[in-house]
């Protein structure tokens, strides 16, 4: 089973993806994690994306599609969870083509629905908790980048809601509940 977790920054995509990895042996494909890893290891591509990411803008479709293409060639286990990908219509089309070529289907697109005030609180708290735990906050977990990230979501990613709705694949889940409640609701959708 292959699924997309769709939703704005702070909606809980990464948290819920981790549960699906634990519960169903699925593979989490987070383009955000892949890009951060490239940045941290100082690859050429990592250098190119660092500023764009810190600002909160989207990196190019070409880069993220390339990252996903590579991962799809690996082990499938219980299927793929696309987390933070696709984020543009071009990425959604590319994903459809890649899955077709592999003879794979896209089984569910789950939209984690939250409201914007909650997102801002969650992200500000995520940054504070990281610092309190002795680590460093994500470079893009600050009020300035968050505005850009939210705008990128509404301008470039939210059209995917209509796109997958029209394909009959969209399922909404209330992302405002407790983590365990959201987890149970997603489990109900996936069956
Ligand atoms: P995330 O961890 O999913 O919030 O992603 C962090 C940042 O990585 C985003 O703000 C973008 O700059 C970049 N990024 C992650 N996934 C994508 C994607 N699918 N397309 C474009 N940029 C992305």
């Amino acid at each position: 089973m292959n699924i997309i977790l769709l939703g704005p920054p702070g909606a809980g995509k990464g948290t819920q993806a981790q549960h699906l990895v634990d519960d169903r042996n699925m593979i989490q494909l987070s383009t955000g994690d892949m890009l951060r890893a490239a940045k941290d290891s100082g690859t050429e591509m990592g250098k190119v994306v660092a500023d764009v990411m810190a600002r909160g803008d989207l990196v190019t479709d070409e880069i993220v599609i390339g990252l996903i293409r590579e991962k799809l060639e690996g082990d499938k286990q219980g299927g793929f969870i696309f987390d933070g990908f696709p984020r543009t219509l071009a990425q959604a089309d590319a994903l459809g083509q890649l899955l077709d070529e592999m003879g794979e289907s896209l089984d569910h697109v789950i939209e984690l629905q939250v409201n914007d005030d909650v997102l801002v609180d969650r992200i500000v708290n995520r940054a504070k908790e990281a610092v309190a735990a002795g680590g460093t906050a994500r470079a893009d977990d600050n009020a300035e980048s968050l505005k850009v990230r939210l705008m990128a979501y509404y301008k470039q990613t939210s059209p995917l809601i209509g796109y997958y709705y029209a394909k009959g694949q969209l399922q909404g889940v209330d992302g405002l509940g407790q983590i365990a409640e959201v987890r149970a609701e997603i489990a109900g959708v996936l069956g």
Side-chain angles (χ1 to χ4, degrees), residues 31-32 35-36 53 57-59 64 84-85 87 91 138 140:
T31 41
L35 293 165
R36 275 185 290 279
M53 288 177 75
D57 283 323
L58 297 188
V59 310
V64 289
F85 177 92
R87 260 175 156 98
Q91 291 176 25
R138 277 174 48 163
D140 58 351

Side-chain angles (χ1 to χ4, degrees), residues 23-44:
D23 296 346
R24 297 174 186 250
N25 192 34
M26 295 179 79
I27 297 182
Q28 177 187 10
L29 296 184
S30 157
T31 41
D33 286 349
M34 294 175 209
L35 293 165
R36 275 185 290 279
K39 195 185 74 178
D40 293 345
S41 58
T43 63
E44 277 312 305

